[in-house]
């Protein structure tokens, strides 16, 4: 039986090339590692703006070092602009506002977090931020970052409006970190493409944010960006490697903490979904609801209601099991 001492850590090095036929991975220090089974878990790379220049005061947030830089920057910042009103951007805006800083949240989409929450709940999140004093500037994108003496001083929107800021956070999404797999023969299309057991090729798996796999219950390929998925998928892959696996069919889940609100979503709020409250009413500080598409529950929604969201989740699971759900990506 293998023991934990069989684990060899190679930290501080990048994988640079995969040779799937020879079953080897080249590292950036010139070494080549061989494997019987490879698990690709390289996560995401934050997107950059095409016109982005390196300027002091401009941050992205993915790694621990970046988190430390951002925390130090926020302590001395006078005005903050967050570009990108997705989950990460909204959470950063809430944190900066909680530190008492003036914050502007900018996104070309008309509604914040619309991709994850849909228009109705996204509008509630925008209202939450506005109540807390965040300037929410949606519907117009960013044209440039303005700098003075190598430090950012403002964000210019496409309509010419200048948003003064000495700290800017770019939270405009991320792309799967698959560059090192180019030319490996793996199918790469918004992630490493896998079958229902997260197998990308013989002896190769992918897990976590980088993995796009065929979700058998939903009948299509999906990729999830959440910590719980990374953990569950890793367990599913480990089971498959050791011969006890089965198709990986989780109900997508994510949560977001902003100010004193915990939002929990089990499933996917597909475009065009109708929100049906099951406890409390949307707009209250605490409610739970089900998002329905053509009458079929596709997502459970909890707004400061971790107990009732589980009842909503059961409705979604029942629909999924009965095979009538058409959960969106
Ligand atoms: C600021 C922030 C807040 C978040 N908050 C939440 C939350 O509240 N809830 C939630 O569910 N999820 C949250 N997430 C998402 C969650 O962190 C990710 O879904 C999760 O970390 C994915 O795990 P992973 O192992 O797939 O990728 P990662 O955790 O990104 O790990 C990938 C690793 O691969 C390494 N790597 C990349 N390329 C190479 C290479 N070529 N060679 C070797 N190593 C490489 C990277 O350095 C990294 O260590 C958050 C993410 C961020 C950035």
């Amino acid at each position: 039986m293998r023991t934990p001492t069989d684990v060899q850590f190679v930290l501080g090095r990048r994988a640079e090339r995969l040779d799937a036929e020879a079953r080897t991975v080249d590292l950036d220090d010139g070494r080549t590692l061989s494997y019987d089974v490879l698990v690709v878990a390289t996560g995401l790379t934050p997107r950059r703006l095409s016109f982005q220049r390196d300027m002091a005061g401009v941050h992205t947030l993915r790694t621990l070092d970046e988190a430390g830089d951002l925390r130090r920057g926020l302590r001395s910042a006078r005005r903050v602009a967050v570009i990108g009103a997705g989950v990460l951007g909204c959470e950063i805006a809430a944190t900066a506002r909680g530190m008492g800083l003036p914050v502007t949240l900018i996104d070309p989409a008309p509604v914040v977090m619309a991709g994850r929450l849909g228009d109705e709940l996204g509008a509630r999140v925008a209202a939450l931020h506005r109540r807390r004093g965040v300037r929410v500037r949606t519907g117009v994108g960013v044209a440039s970052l303005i700098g003075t003496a190598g430090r950012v001083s403002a964000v210019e929107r496409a309509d010419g409006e200048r948003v003064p800021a000495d700290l800017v956070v770019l939270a405009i999404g991320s792309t799967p970190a698959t560059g090192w797999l180019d030319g490996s023969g793996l199918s790469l299309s918004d992630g490493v493409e896998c079958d229902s057991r997260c197998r990308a090729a013989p002896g190769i798996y992918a897990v976590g944010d980088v993995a796009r796999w065929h979700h058998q219950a939903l009948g299509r390929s999906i990729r999830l960006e959440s910590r719980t998925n990374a953990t569950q998928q890793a367990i599913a892959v480990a089971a498959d490697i050791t011969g006890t696996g089965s198709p990986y069919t989780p109900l997508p889940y994510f949560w977001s903490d902003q100010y004193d609100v915990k939002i929990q979503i089990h499933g996917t709020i597909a475009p065009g979904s109708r929100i049906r409250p099951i406890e409390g009413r949307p707009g209250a500080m605490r409610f739970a609801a089900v998002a329905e598409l053509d009458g079929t529950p596709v997502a459970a929604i909890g707004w400061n209601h971790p107990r009732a969201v589980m009842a909503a989740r059961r409705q979604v699971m029942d629909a999924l099991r009965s095979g009538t759900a058409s959960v969106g990506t």
Side-chain angles (χ1 to χ4, degrees):
M1 189 173 119
R2 296 200 170 206
T3 67
T5 54
D6 291 328
V7 176
Q8 183 198 353
F9 290 95
V10 183
L11 300 175
R13 300 265 63 105
R14 294 185 62 75
E16 291 213 309
R17 204 179 80 86
L18 164 67
D19 185 332
E21 217 158 277
R23 298 202 173 205
T24 56
V25 172
D26 294 343
L27 303 185
D28 62 354
D29 61 359
R31 270 184 293 171
T32 296
L33 304 179
S34 56
Y35 64 83
D36 296 321
V37 175
L38 176 72
V39 180
V40 176
T42 43
L44 304 174
T45 308
R47 277 202 197 100
R48 291 170 62 89
L49 293 167
S50 55
F51 50 79
Q52 193 177 329
R53 291 181 289 136
D54 282 334
M55 266 191 280
V58 178
H59 295 257
T60 52
L61 179 57
R62 182 77 204 165
T63 66
L64 190 57
D65 284 348
E66 288 168 344
D69 288 347
L70 179 57
R71 183 168 57 179
R72 280 185 292 280
L74 286 170
R75 282 184 183 145
S76 57
R78 284 176 296 121
R79 279 178 300 216
V80 175
V82 180
I83 302 175
V87 180
L88 204 54
C90 286
E91 290 184 354
I92 293 166
T95 302
R97 194 68 202 112
M99 294 169 75
L101 291 162
V103 177
T104 307
L105 183 58
I106 304 167
D107 199 298
V111 179
V112 311
M113 284 180 71
R116 292 283 193 113
L117 296 182
D119 289 352
E120 187 179 333
L121 288 180
R124 294 199 186 289
V125 173
L128 172 69
H129 280 273
R130 287 198 172 100
R131 274 201 305 279
R132 300 294 183 130
V134 172
R135 288 182 70 224
V136 180
R137 308 291 288 130
T138 47
V140 177
V142 169
S144 64
L145 299 180
I146 310 217
T148 313
R151 175 162 201 101
V152 71
S153 58
V155 175
E156 187 174 48
R157 300 205 317 156
D159 60 0
E161 179 189 347
R162 282 196 177 192
V163 176
D166 60 340
L167 188 147
V168 173
V169 188
L170 297 174
I172 53 173
S174 304
T175 51
T178 55
W180 68 283
L181 296 168
D182 287 345
S184 65
L186 294 189
S187 189
L188 308 172
S189 168
D190 184 35
V192 179
E193 284 187 35
C194 300
D195 68 9
S196 61
R197 292 170 183 241
C198 312
R199 300 166 176 169
I204 303 178
Y205 293 79
V207 302
D209 290 1
V210 79
R212 168 169 290 281
W213 86 103
H214 180 75
H215 192 302
Q216 210 162 271
L218 301 179
R220 66 171 173 280
S221 91
I222 67 168
R223 189 174 66 75
L224 298 177
E225 296 179 9
S226 85
R227 190 191 58 69
T228 42
N229 175 66
T231 310
Q232 289 170 2
Q233 198 168 19
I235 292 169
V237 161
D240 205 61
I241 292 170
T242 52
T244 58
S246 55
Y248 179 55
T249 56
L251 185 64
Y253 170 67
F254 84 94
W255 78 94
S256 181
D257 296 318
Q258 297 176 34
Y259 309 104
D260 51 359
V261 175
K262 179 181 280 298
I263 302 165
Q264 293 171 290
I265 309 292
H266 298 263
T268 308
I269 302 177
S273 297
R274 200 182 69 87
I275 310 278
R276 176 171 57 82
I278 63 164
E279 248 189 81
R281 58 173 179 81
M285 264 312 282
R286 182 174 147 88
F287 68 90
V290 171
E292 291 180 338
L293 189 63
D294 301 328
T296 302
V298 291
I301 299 158
W303 190 282
N304 276 338
H305 218 324
R307 180 185 51 77
V309 76
M310 294 313 285
R313 185 183 190 276
R314 277 193 290 280
Q315 295 188 24
V316 178
M317 288 301 285
D318 288 348
L320 201 55
R321 286 198 189 103
S322 73
T324 58
S326 52
V327 183
T329 0

